[in-house]
Amino acid sequence: MLAPLPRPHRWPLLRSPDFRLFAVGQTASNTGTWIQKVAQDWLALQLSHGNGTILGITTALQFLPLLLLGPYGGVLVDRHSTRRILLASQAVMATLALIPALLVATGTARLNTLYVLALALGLTMVVEKPALQAFIAESVAPGQLVSALAFNSAVLNIGRMAGPALAGPLIVLFGPGPAFLANTLSYLTVITCLLRMDPRAGCPAPPLPRAKRQVREGLRYVRDHRDLALTLGLVAVVAAFGMNFQITTALMITRVYHAPAAVFGLGNTALAAGSVIGSLLAACRPLVTGRRLAAASLAFGMLETACALIPGPVTFLVLLVPTGTALLVFLTAAKARLQLGVDDGIRGRIMSLYLLATLGTTPLLAPAIGWIAQSAGPRTALALGGAVSAAAAITTGLLHPRPPTPPEASPQPSGTHQSHVI
């Protein structure tokens, strides 16, 4: 009698000890990051007496360096070891989380200090974010890249879901100081995991020799590949107008629904729950056409607009779940397209442009979104973001070329189909 065949592992990547260490570190890091994000927003609102514009300025300062220096960070990633960059950046970010914890504990926290720390964190993210994306690509085989990206998205959003849920009670019981300290400990966990990983494993790209105009080379690469340009353009518009949830959901919960601090972080938790679902859906069908990419963005825009019309907090939180699902299906598909569609030697620069599109555009609109929410109401700011995202999705869908139709003289064999990576 033949022995039964072993069942395939649902997540083959988890067989790798190094990838398990990576997953543990990223879970801790993302949980701590979102705990600090909620604490930072709460502290900013406390110090500014609930001013939404101040909250927008704090957010803008954190992401402004990515807007100004993002492509240069990509060049540094292509020139140096991604593992060493991650070790150094995690140490810096742990220090930047420890400082506000000490300031809150001593009662010396001020808005100006919060601004400086947000800007310093943004400067570190210029190299840390593209290095992380490139490190994922270097740590797995090419055939496992899409699964690794989807798994990383799921891990990120588990932390995004757990972090705000933990932050609310933590702030209520002990204040924002311990929340910052928790993030410091999370960065130390990442450093420990990186040091335990085998530096000889994976397929790191050879360092890029120092040369002139390497930023322009990355921009020309995108210009010469229309699909990459359209994908980055759509991501930039959706991020700038539709992804200001750190402002809009915070103000919806505090100013529209007048909810207590314990509910303050549940908006991010609901979005993250939907994002985990979206990550799994993206893993099931990672290769999408440009029109399907636009369709996911359109669904997100319509759901975000609907969130602005919800009368009660419970229904609002429930609708944020499918909104997060649509957003993550869109972002994971866009990231997979960019990772799979570029050469190894330019990956750092392309991913820095992706991060520029997703995070660096926030400073352009965050103060304006905060001002609109302050003057016209949070509902108006949320609806505007959804409407612009939907309009950008329709425009991009029309601009994407149609997939080529196979000639009638050469019919496809039964049971097969073609996929187009756009």
Side-chain angles (χ1 to χ4, degrees):
M1 182 176 180
L2 295 176
L5 294 174
R7 295 180 62 184
H9 201 286
R10 181 165 297 182
W11 291 102
L13 288 169
L14 293 181
R15 292 178 176 174
S16 167
D18 282 352
F19 196 84
R20 288 199 297 269
L21 285 170
F22 174 80
V24 169
Q26 287 305 296
T27 301
S29 177
N30 289 310
T31 301
T33 295
W34 281 99
I35 290 175
Q36 174 167 318
K37 179 57 183 170
V38 174
Q40 178 179 289
D41 291 348
W42 185 258
L43 183 60
L45 288 174
Q46 273 191 329
L47 295 175
S48 65
H49 306 289
N51 192 319
T53 303
I54 296 297
L55 185 60
I57 292 174
T58 305
T59 301
L61 286 172
Q62 183 171 327
F63 296 110
L64 182 63
L66 279 170
L67 175 64
L68 301 178
L69 304 173
Y72 295 95
V75 171
L76 290 175
V77 171
D78 285 335
R79 287 179 180 175
H80 301 284
S81 164
T82 55
R83 184 173 180 269
R84 291 179 180 176
I85 290 176
L86 288 175
L87 284 170
S89 60
Q90 298 303 305
V92 173
M93 294 166 84
T95 304
L96 293 175
L98 180 61
I99 292 174
L102 296 175
L103 293 175
V104 171
T106 57
T108 57
R110 301 290 183 271
L111 273 176
N112 289 340
T113 307
L114 204 61
Y115 292 159
V116 172
L117 290 171
L119 184 61
L121 181 61
L123 288 169
T124 310
M125 288 165 56
V126 167
V127 292
E128 189 266 344
K129 293 297 183 183
L132 178 61
Q133 297 300 320
F135 184 77
I136 295 173
E138 294 174 358
S139 301
V140 300
Q144 296 178 315
L145 178 57
V146 175
S147 296
L149 291 173
F151 186 86
N152 185 61
S153 294
V155 166
L156 186 152
N157 286 286
I158 288 172
R160 184 182 177 188
M161 183 168 52
L166 294 171
L170 192 62
I171 293 172
V172 170
L173 295 175
F174 306 106
F180 290 106
L181 183 59
N183 195 30
T184 302
L185 298 176
S186 76
Y187 287 126
L188 297 179
T189 302
V190 177
I191 292 173
T192 301
C193 291
L194 285 171
L195 290 174
R196 293 186 61 187
M197 293 174 68
D198 185 359
R200 299 167 297 179
C203 302
L208 180 72
R210 185 181 297 272
K212 295 181 178 180
R213 300 180 179 178
Q214 289 176 327
V215 172
R216 293 183 183 181
E217 182 183 352
L219 296 174
R220 284 197 300 268
Y221 190 94
V222 173
R223 181 197 64 189
D224 295 339
H225 293 75
R226 184 185 178 191
D227 296 333
L228 296 181
L230 286 173
T231 299
L232 285 170
L234 179 58
V235 169
V237 173
V238 171
F241 287 90
M243 289 172 55
N244 285 286
F245 290 110
Q246 66 273 17
I247 299 173
T248 52
T249 57
L251 293 176
M252 284 285 289
I253 290 173
T254 56
R255 289 185 52 188
V256 176
Y257 302 125
H258 305 288
V263 186
F264 184 72
L266 291 184
N268 282 325
T269 302
L271 282 168
S275 296
V276 172
I277 299 172
S279 300
L280 299 177
L281 291 177
C284 294
R285 191 168 187 175
L287 305 183
V288 297
T289 65
R291 291 173 180 267
R292 289 173 182 167
L293 199 68
S297 176
L298 177 61
F300 163 71
M302 294 174 66
L303 286 166
E304 184 177 21
T305 304
C307 286
L309 307 176
I310 297 300
V314 176
T315 312
F316 174 74
L317 293 173
V318 170
L319 191 58
L320 284 177
V321 175
T323 303
T325 299
L327 178 60
L328 242 292
V329 168
F330 165 65
L331 290 179
T332 304
K335 191 177 354 181
R337 168 65 187 95
L338 295 173
Q339 286 270 37
L340 291 170
V342 301
D343 300 327
D344 290 341
I346 205 169
R347 178 174 282 116
R349 280 165 285 178
I350 298 302
M351 293 318 298
S352 71
L353 293 176
Y354 169 81
L355 293 164
L356 175 64
T358 52
L359 301 177
T361 54
T362 302
L364 294 176
L365 272 297
I369 295 294
W371 177 81
I372 292 171
Q374 184 73 17
S375 57
R379 291 187 186 276
T380 302
L382 192 60
L384 176 65
V388 173
S389 298
I394 294 172
T395 303
T396 304
L398 294 175
L399 290 175
H400 262 291
R402 291 182 178 275
T405 303
E408 294 183 2
S410 302
Q412 294 292 321
S414 175
T416 65
H417 66 277
Q418 288 184 316
S419 297
H420 303 277
V421 184
I422 303 298

